[in-house]
Amino acid sequence: MKRICIGLLCLSLLFSTTGCATILGGPISSSQKTKPVPGQQQRDVRVGWLIADILLFAPGLIVDFATGAIYKR
């Protein structure tokens, strides 16, 4: 039972960090972290990382959007 719990914990940690832009996109700038205020232009999405997330592991999109790594600088 303990071995199963450790395995599930390792898998959940692995899946929580599987966002292509989060892992391979480089450092996240402050402009990627801040949300635009009303009336300000919306942030652009990195199309390459978006396609990679969709093809490789779709839940990675959640990680990339949550960290802001998928947005252009």
Side-chain angles (χ1 to χ4, degrees), residues 49-71:
W49 293 126
L50 179 68
I51 293 170
D53 277 338
I54 291 171
L55 292 176
L56 297 175
F57 188 67
L61 282 171
I62 298 169
V63 175
D64 285 343
F65 278 107
T67 60
I70 200 153
Y71 297 111

Side-chain angles (χ1 to χ4, degrees), residues 27-44:
I28 299 172
S29 67
S30 61
S31 64
Q32 289 172 299
K33 289 182 181 180
T34 57
K35 293 183 180 181
V37 295
Q40 190 180 21
Q41 185 177 358
Q42 297 295 315
R43 299 176 286 183
D44 294 327

